[in-house]
């Protein structure tokens, strides 16, 4: 978070992983009820926000955003100094993501992906994406200058947009579950094998992308992050590069440096 990007999730996820492991070891009978209740609460929370946004006042407030001083720093040294201040707050904000992990643990216990149920996955796709799109739509229209909100309503639209992300994750995991059902019994081609290889080397690829963006995006490096289309092209290019490298690692039976390191540290 200090060297590359103050919004990096690995540090917070490491803390969450340790805390959740302790909770898992001491779980009671109601342990797996919590994620179900959390999803139900999330739906109610978004419904209330939707009502408040739809009944809110129009206006000409700017799109709510948080200043990211490190991304605008003129030098790498200045960026590091800014990230020293930014990362503790970012980590604290990410810690409630333990509830997302709880949802994943519930899905793992039910073997949602290992023993997929088409009806359940279809429900996850349409329900998850439906809620996510509905929750993000007001913010998208506002950011695109198709509608105008006052400051209070704009803040509520941003909260709804952020809260809907969990259900987008449910939609995506359900979609990939369906894709897995479709390709699992067939002979895998190069594309599926390459993407699977990348999935098996996620941590290495993630760290590589952090380094790549440090080179590509900041103004003191190549400065390619300011234009939306250029940034999108860079993102696609970096991802495709990780797919190719992961496939080559797969061909040589090499797990990836980060995965090897984590396994050695975990089993010492």
């Amino acid at each position: 978070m200090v060297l590359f990007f103050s919004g990096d999730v690995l540090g917070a996820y490491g803390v969450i992983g340790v805390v959740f492991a302790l909770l898992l070891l001491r779980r009671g009978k109601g342990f797996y009820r919590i994620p179900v209740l959390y999803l139900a609460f999330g739906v109610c929370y978004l419904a209330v926000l939707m009502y408040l946004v739809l009944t809110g006042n129009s206006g000409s407030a700017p799109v709510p955003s948080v200043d990211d001083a490190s991304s605008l720093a003129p030098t790498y040294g200045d960026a590091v100094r800014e990230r020293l201040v930014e990362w503790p707050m970012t980590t604290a904000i990410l810690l409630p993501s333990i509830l997302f992990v709880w949802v994943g643990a519930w899905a793992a216990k039910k073997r949602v992906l290992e023993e997929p149920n088409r009806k359940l996955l279809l429900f996850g796709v349409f329900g998850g994406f439906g809620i996510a799109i509905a929750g993000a739509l007001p913010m998208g229209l506002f950011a695109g200058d198709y509608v105008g909100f006052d400051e209070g309503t704009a803040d509520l639209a941003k909260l709804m947009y952020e809260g809907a992300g969990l259900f987008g994750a449910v939609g995506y995991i359900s979609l990939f579950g369906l894709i897995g059902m479709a390709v699992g019994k067939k002979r895998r081609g190069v594309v599926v094998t390459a993407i699977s290889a990348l999935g098996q080397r996620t941590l290495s690829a993630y760290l590589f992308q952090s380094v790549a963006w440090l080179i590509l995006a900041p103004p003191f490096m190549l400065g390619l992050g300011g234009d939306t289309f250029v940034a999108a092209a860079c993102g696609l290019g970096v991802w495709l590069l990780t797919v190719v490298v992961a496939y080559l690692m797969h061909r040589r039976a090499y797990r990836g440096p980060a995965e090897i390191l984590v396994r050695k540290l975990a089993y010492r």
Side-chain angles (χ1 to χ4, degrees), residues 152-176:
T153 306
D155 290 337
L156 292 173
K158 185 173 185 289
L159 285 175
M160 183 167 62
Y161 156 73
E162 293 172 344
L166 169 63
F167 294 94
V170 172
Y172 272 115
I173 198 67
S174 300
L175 176 61
F176 284 113

Side-chain angles (χ1 to χ4, degrees), residues 16-172:
I16 290 171
V18 173
V19 172
F20 189 79
L22 296 174
L23 292 173
L24 192 63
L25 292 172
R26 293 164 175 77
R27 65 186 181 276
K29 292 182 179 180
F31 185 81
Y32 288 107
R33 296 176 186 172
I34 292 176
V36 178
L37 293 174
Y38 175 60
L39 290 175
F41 169 78
V43 172
C44 297
Y45 170 76
L46 292 176
V48 171
L49 287 177
M50 178 67 78
Y51 172 78
L52 294 175
V53 170
L54 293 178
T55 58
N57 299 320
S58 60
S60 57
V63 176
S65 62
V66 179
D67 292 333
D68 186 4
S70 60
S71 66
L72 302 175
T75 67
Y76 179 70
D78 292 331
V80 168
R81 281 191 289 271
E82 294 292 347
R83 286 194 285 266
L84 283 169
V85 178
E86 293 171 352
W87 78 263
M89 182 61 68
T90 303
T91 301
I93 292 173
L94 288 171
L95 290 181
S97 299
I98 191 171
L99 291 166
F100 300 177
V101 175
W102 223 311
V103 174
W106 172 86
K109 183 177 185 296
K110 297 295 183 180
R111 299 185 65 81
V112 171
L113 294 181
E114 290 84 352
E115 300 172 1
N117 180 296
R118 184 177 295 275
K119 290 184 178 179
L120 178 62
L121 292 177
L122 285 172
F123 178 77
V125 168
F126 289 103
F129 282 140
I131 294 173
I133 292 171
L137 188 59
M139 187 65 183
L141 294 174
F142 177 51
D145 205 23
Y146 293 101
V147 297
F149 295 140
D150 65 0
E151 186 174 351
T153 306
D155 290 337
L156 292 173
K158 185 173 185 289
L159 285 175
M160 183 167 62
Y161 156 73
E162 293 172 344
L166 169 63
F167 294 94
V170 172
Y172 272 115

